[in-house]
Amino acid sequence: DIQMTQSPSSLSASVGDRVTITCRASQGIRNDLAWYQQKPGKAPKRLIYAASSLQSGVPSRFSGSGSGTEFTLTISSLQPEDFATYYCLQHNSYPRTFGQGTKVEIK
Amino acid sequence: EVQVVESGGGLVKPGGSLRLSCAASGFTFTNAWMTWARQAPGKGLEWVGRIKSKTDGGTTEYAAAVKGRFTISSDDSKNTLYLQMNSLKTEDTAVYYCATMSHGSPDPWGPGTLVTVSS
């Protein structure tokens, strides 16, 4: 199975900060990676697909990059509505695997 | 609008069975690959399994934790996806989500249905 190691597990940031979250795959997954945002009690919402493609309707302050084994999700200027938990998901091979999640909290 | 909505969750005893449903609308279900995932209380997301569209063979894949106990199926005439869960364990307690797939990954997801396995 491919292990997805996501870091950090949590972070505190202020509105306007630039935030970067990383996912590392235990083996190469090309660009078969998506990023999701989840707020308490809600379903996950996809932000990025194919590692760097912005989901329709998602603000442009979100961006994704990487290929192979190293991937990043960047929020260029954190907004109040961005405080949530973020997950990566690899869909290169079965079983699909999620990262452990990164909780973004208010500083 | 593409939409999926889960139902069928509830309280079940260890060793029992439950069938979840996922009603789909706003897209051509017969051509869709569908996914189930779950989230235990206070924990992260866990992929459960996937079914290809019947036009692509209708085959399934499962996570090791549920293989042999859970079965994914679909009824194209009802635009509905199912998750049959047998031999349930306390560790299967979770919110279960279904999703269609685009660009290789699940999206959008339904609101989820809670399954509690407890005596």
Side-chain angles (χ1 to χ4, degrees):
Chain A
D1 297 3
I2 296 176
Q3 308 304 316
M4 301 301 296
T5 302
Q6 191 173 335
S7 61
S9 56
S10 65
L11 64 90
S12 295
S14 300
V15 172
D17 283 354
R18 182 181 182 88
V19 168
T20 299
I21 299 168
T22 297
C23 259
R24 178 178 292 112
S26 59
Q27 63 191 73
I29 60 170
R30 303 182 304 184
N31 69 336
D32 297 330
L33 184 111
W35 288 98
Y36 294 88
Q37 177 194 67
Q38 187 180 33
K39 295 183 179 179
K42 300 294 187 182
K45 171 188 171 184
R46 191 171 67 183
L47 303 173
I48 301 288
Y49 62 90
S52 60
S53 295
L54 188 67
Q55 178 76 21
S56 175
V58 173
S60 60
R61 62 181 179 272
F62 291 93
S63 64
S65 65
S67 183
T69 61
E70 294 279 339
F71 302 87
T72 59
L73 173 70
T74 300
I75 310 172
S76 60
S77 178
L78 198 65
Q79 297 302 299
E81 60 268 30
D82 300 337
F83 291 96
T85 301
Y86 295 84
Y87 295 92
C88 62
L89 168 70
Q90 70 81 16
H91 56 91
N92 178 264
S93 67
Y94 291 102
R96 308 311 200 204
T97 43
F98 289 92
Q100 307 95 311
T102 296
K103 186 173 185 178
V104 177
E105 298 176 302
I106 301 172
K107 193 171 191 178
Chain B
E1 179 192 4
V2 175
Q3 191 172 14
V4 292
V5 179
E6 307 88 345
S7 61
L11 175 63
V12 61
K13 289 181 167 53
S17 297
L18 203 61
R19 188 179 80 161
L20 305 183
S21 299
C22 170
S25 60
F27 61 99
T28 305
F29 186 76
T30 53
N31 295 337
W33 293 27
M34 301 292 293
T35 292
W36 286 99
R38 66 185 181 182
Q39 187 168 37
K43 303 297 185 182
L45 296 166
E46 181 184 16
W47 181 83
V48 170
R50 171 237 77 197
I51 186 167
K52 289 184 178 180
S53 64
K54 287 189 173 59
T55 55
D56 287 326
T59 56
T60 52
E61 295 280 350
Y62 298 96
V66 307
K67 196 169 185 178
R69 299 188 299 123
F70 290 13
T71 301
I72 300 173
S73 62
S74 63
D75 184 336
D76 288 353
S77 68
K78 296 181 178 179
N79 283 4
T80 300
L81 176 74
Y82 300 103
L83 180 65
Q84 177 68 44
M85 304 184 294
N86 299 330
S87 303
L88 282 160
K89 307 175 181 180
T90 55
E91 53 263 40
D92 295 318
T93 294
V95 174
Y96 284 75
Y97 297 102
C98 70
T100 185
M101 290 167 64
S102 65
H103 304 290
S105 56
D107 181 75
W109 301 51
T113 187
L114 176 63
V115 173
T116 303
V117 184
S118 175
S119 54

